[in-house]
Amino acid sequence: MSLRFIGIDPQTGSGESPTVWVDEEHEELIFQGWRPSPELEAECAATEVPGHAKGIPEEEGVVRIPFRMVDMVREACDAAERRANVRRTA
């Protein structure tokens, strides 16, 4: 796996470290974050959006990362676009 570290929560404490990476081999963004509360996970699972069934598939999960990491997420997206020559769609 070719993980490129982008950043870690600047307010990380002992044992808590939301992190952002880019996996260049599999062309994926990787997020490490906090597990949701049962209530938040249930709300996500119950929300219907066009083209998406209710529920969370067994192989997927919900993670939370703080707003203060938005710049890191943006940097990861920029790195992914440069790497894969992805074009933005409006």
Side-chain angles (χ1 to χ4, degrees):
M1 186 180 301
S2 177
L3 281 181
R4 177 178 165 200
F5 172 78
I6 299 296
I8 191 168
D9 180 359
Q11 293 183 14
T12 196
S14 177
E16 294 188 8
S17 54
T19 309
V20 178
W21 294 275
V22 172
D23 180 340
E24 294 177 343
E25 180 181 340
H26 294 100
E27 298 183 341
E28 297 173 337
L29 301 178
I30 309 297
F31 299 98
Q32 175 183 326
W34 301 300
R35 289 187 173 106
S37 66
E39 296 81 13
L40 177 58
E41 191 166 43
E43 184 177 349
C44 290
T47 301
E48 270 190 83
V49 295
H52 189 280
K54 279 187 180 182
I56 300 169
E58 184 71 29
E59 67 278 1
E60 295 182 9
V62 175
V63 297
R64 300 168 32 242
I65 59 171
F67 277 173
R68 62 185 167 264
M69 293 180 69
V70 165
D71 286 341
M72 291 173 213
V73 173
R74 219 175 260 126
E75 182 181 342
C77 291
D78 291 345
E81 286 181 332
R82 284 190 301 272
R83 172 80 176 170
N85 293 319
V86 175
R87 293 184 188 187
R88 293 181 188 215
T89 59

